[in-house]
Amino acid sequence: MAVTVTLPDGRALELGDGATGADAAAAIGPGLARAALAIEVGDPGVDLADSSPFHPRELRDLARELPNEAQIAIVTEKDEEQALALIRHDAAHVLAAAVMELWPGVKISIGPAIENGFYYDFEFPDGVSISEADFPEIEAKMRAHVKAGEVFERVDVTPVQARERFVGEQQDYKVELIDDLVRNADSEHPLETVSLYTNGPFTDLCRGPHAPTTKSVGAFKLTSVAGAYWRGDSTRTMLTRIYGTAFFSKTQLEEYLERVELAKERDHRKLGKELGLFMFSDVSPGAAFWLPPGAAIWNQLVAVSREMGLQRGYEEVKTPLIYDAELWKTSGHWGKYRKNMFTVKVEEREMGVKPMNCPGHAHLYASQRHSYRELPVRYSEPGLLHRNEPSGVLHGLLRVRHFAQDDAHIFCTEEQVQEEVRGCLELAFATYALFDFEVRLELSTRPDERIGTDEMWDKAEAKLRNALDAQGLQYELNPGDGAFYGPKIDMHMTDSLGRSWQLGTVQLDYSMPERFDLTYTGADNHEHRPVMIHRAAFGSYERFIGIMIEHYGGELPLWLAPVQAIVLPISDPFNEYGASVRETLRVDRQEDPRGRAAEDSVHADCRRARAAGGAGRGARARQGRYGQLFDTGALSAAILGLVEANQFKAPRVNPA
């Protein structure tokens, strides 16, 4: 029986019985057949040319048979995101094959593709310790597997067959994974098969997909080694995690490695110390100590957040740091988030230090009566928060235990949701415009661990989707990554090094108003349930500052720089002129009693330095890392331009 599939341009393609993705690529053309890596398959009626993220689709091996009437799209190197993830997954299998050859008896666990690369976790035999010194030997074995062009062969077997195989090979982690797959399967639809992939001598439990052969891994490099607890559980075995990255070409790999080296130079922990912005101490792990210049940046961001919120109808509130456990039980955090909270007993009462502001704001709203005429109520609070992050994941300002964020919560009617979501996004876009950040949007849907009914989630996801569609905004679907209480729109930016960062979020919540029994009096004089929207643009101020430092390489926008200018007269005759420059810039005078341009001071303390001097008397203009040193001939014009452009103050962005 013939198989008919539909191509992205709408054309029908008729193939023979049992046709595969490779057959489809070959039928379209020999060039595509050579370039094909995998195939995207949608159920009948799903248009893969439609960019809507709500259309289900599956990435498959080219060797798998195609379902009749499916929508298909051939994936090649040009489909960069999908293709790179595919070959990095291939590289993880190649890594495991090499390691098992070099160290017989090693136990394998998992090896996924991740952002910018891949890893594989191993338990090595007693007495074996792996370091980066072993990488050349491992990479040589990997190159042999890649050069051999080993075919990735898939076979579907029963869980019993797979379990017997890995029990025989003494691969305990694979056995545990199979047992969990069987146990976690829907009782009405028990697990019938699992897939195994083989390349050369190596066979792995894997759902795929993979490229046709190992030759697709054009260039790779192992990058680091670390310890990782099995399944992230500190009570389980510590495994050895080997990280690597892979690209289609050596040139792409070299460009990436150059960016990695540049990222090391721009590491916010390094620059933060050099610029005297903040420090960390073992007396309070995961909490920054802000020095005066760093505190100035932090305060400026808070001031910008307050001004933008004030313009848009937000009212600032202040709530306690520690709450009775009953509040957290009401909100659902005690059951879903307790392991990430700091808890304490006070006079036999169990209390929790707040990791987020939303329960306090819900309690505050509930403490007063509200009429529909008051809604929307918009609370904001740059409140201090604490989260009990494991010490192994702490990372400078990017992952901390103590932080503050530009938190806000809106309580509104059903009819106001779409407009309020639009307003939240407008505020976020206006915030990022101050830094010339371009953002992309993700719609994150219900996670497995959640509170609330499916009806609540259906409604909330539809509301956010409609709000995005109504504004004509492009977005990607991120299934299963919503907050435990509601779906969310996340905003991501790509920094100057090509790395993606999540910044702000807009979250729609029907559960918390229900759990806190929040109400307002409607026009009909009856009680109604409001909808709650969680909103942050900067997110954590600490994390945002860390991202900024690395994005700008320490060269923050002038209006945000803690020291915007230093006036350095080169000798006494120029003190009066220097004083006039200082007055114009309204900055503190920094004298050099030795009568010379204090380059060390400039390097340590400021982004931009301006040196005042006389022509023929040692005056000079010089470009340095933190800005340009001007002679008097250029100084007046430079100052005038900066002042007239209002570069020393935060830009004002009015609501759209």
Side-chain angles (χ1 to χ4, degrees), residues 562-576:
V563 179
Q564 296 172 320
I566 293 177
V567 181
L568 301 169
I570 63 174
S571 60
D572 288 345
F574 307 109
N575 285 347
E576 184 177 348

Side-chain angles (χ1 to χ4, degrees), residues 268-269 278-290 342 384-404 540 542-543:
H268 73 281
R269 295 166 297 181
F278 55 84
M279 58 166 277
F280 289 91
S281 170
D282 287 341
V283 303
S284 184
F289 288 75
W290 291 96
F342 290 101
L384 295 178
L385 305 173
H386 294 79
R387 295 182 184 175
N388 190 11
E389 300 281 7
S391 59
V393 303
L394 298 177
H395 184 77
L397 298 176
L398 302 180
R399 193 75 177 267
V400 292
R401 289 174 175 165
H402 164 88
F403 63 99
S540 157
E542 284 79 358
R543 185 170 178 275

Side-chain angles (χ1 to χ4, degrees), residues 116-137:
N116 295 323
F118 61 90
Y119 70 79
Y120 213 111
D121 287 347
F122 303 95
E123 182 186 346
F124 285 89
D126 291 342
V128 176
S129 178
I130 300 298
S131 70
E132 293 185 14
D134 297 299
F135 285 0
E137 186 179 14

